[in-house]
Amino acid sequence: MKKIVALDPGQNIGLAVVGFDKKLLESSMLSFEELEAYIFPEDRTVVLGDGTGSKDIQALLDGRGISYELVDEEGSSLEARSHYFTAKPPTGLWRFLPKTMIPVNEPIDNYAAYVIALRYLESVLRTS
């Protein structure tokens, strides 16, 4: 099955492996060194957010001969919060607050990578 490997660049690199059915198959946070050692699946399309830190990752991918597509990541962190709370719903009194008021006490770059994959898939579906 063909997969999307999406990368959210930045201080923490978010990684999401997504099927063409939009199902999240794998999600993690990587350092740049871990990304250097990451073994990309054979049956994949790599997509990369075009924000801060993307130039270094582009250079890494180019150096490894891995082709990729750039995806606009504007607003992806905000959208990632929604996916985070879907996966980890608030409990206790937190569940009564609007999600915009609930603090997220962990990095969510992996969810931002998922958003990048979904945006790519939407663009592919629109053009086909």
Side-chain angles (χ1 to χ4, degrees), residues 80-123:
R81 286 177 59 89
S82 173
H83 291 286
Y84 172 83
F85 286 122
T86 298
K88 299 179 180 185
T91 58
L93 295 176
W94 290 110
R95 70 180 190 263
F96 297 111
L97 289 174
K99 290 184 178 59
T100 55
M101 295 180 67
I102 301 172
V104 177
N105 296 320
E106 61 185 277
I108 58 170
D109 303 87
N110 52 335
Y111 291 99
Y114 181 52
V115 169
I116 289 166
L118 294 177
R119 288 180 180 181
Y120 172 76
L121 285 169
E122 288 299 320
S123 72

Side-chain angles (χ1 to χ4, degrees), residues 21-73:
D21 59 358
K22 300 181 182 179
K23 183 176 179 184
L24 181 62
L25 305 172
E26 176 189 336
S27 146
S28 61
M29 304 284 291
L30 303 173
S31 66
F32 191 80
E33 293 74 26
E34 290 169 323
L35 180 59
E36 287 177 313
Y38 181 76
I39 299 176
F40 288 83
E42 288 294 321
D43 58 340
R44 52 77 178 116
T45 299
V46 177
V47 295
L48 172 64
D50 63 356
T52 304
S54 67
K55 297 289 184 209
D56 292 335
I57 296 175
Q58 287 178 52
L60 170 70
L61 295 174
D62 289 339
R64 290 181 60 184
I66 297 171
S67 61
Y68 56 90
E69 303 263 345
L70 286 175
V71 175
D72 179 19
E73 69 168 287

